[in-house]
Amino acid sequence: MLDANTEFLRWNTKVSYDSGSTFVQYKAPEWQINQKTAVRAIVNRPKNLIAIYAVQPYGVEQSSVIVKYDQNGYNWQRQIDVRAGVNELYIFKLNDI
């Protein structure tokens, strides 16, 4: 997954906290201010992979989020589970919709 082709999306990670109605791109301090699950993604297009890291901070009650990657000709999105106090790591194929 990690090589010269890996792209760290950082705050460009698109996340929906409302079942896909809207997607937001938060900078790190905004998760705490807005009481949201922290989500980041990295993409390796030549390997056709996306890795997603999520952690739910104390006081946030959210069981899932939707992550979307729609750059460079891709239109991928997936709902992932987030559990309180657990570091979640998911890896998916970008063509696995």
Side-chain angles (χ1 to χ4, degrees):
M1 175 86 198
L2 298 176
D3 61 22
N5 297 304
T6 302
E7 178 184 356
F8 292 82
L9 298 181
R10 296 181 184 85
W11 79 278
N12 287 319
T13 302
K14 295 180 181 179
V15 182
S16 175
Y17 298 96
D18 59 5
S19 301
S21 295
T22 58
F23 284 86
V24 295
Q25 296 169 249
Y26 280 146
K27 294 180 180 173
E30 294 173 306
W31 292 316
Q32 185 175 12
I33 293 166
N34 296 309
Q35 291 289 297
K36 300 294 184 187
T37 299
V39 181
R40 283 293 182 253
I42 61 174
V43 173
N44 189 314
R45 287 187 301 277
K47 291 185 178 181
N48 204 37
L49 294 173
I50 184 169
I52 302 163
Y53 169 78
V55 63
Q56 186 181 112
Y58 179 77
V60 175
E61 294 183 21
Q62 186 139 30
S63 60
S64 66
V65 297
I66 298 174
V67 181
K68 178 175 155 162
Y69 179 70
D70 60 358
Q71 300 173 21
N72 301 300
Y74 288 94
N75 189 20
W76 180 93
Q77 72 179 37
R78 175 68 61 100
Q79 181 172 316
I80 61 169
D81 295 327
V82 289
R83 298 170 286 172
V86 177
N87 292 306
E88 305 281 5
L89 178 62
Y90 294 89
I91 299 176
F92 300 104
K93 293 278 192 184
L94 280 171
N95 61 357
D96 180 23
I97 299 173

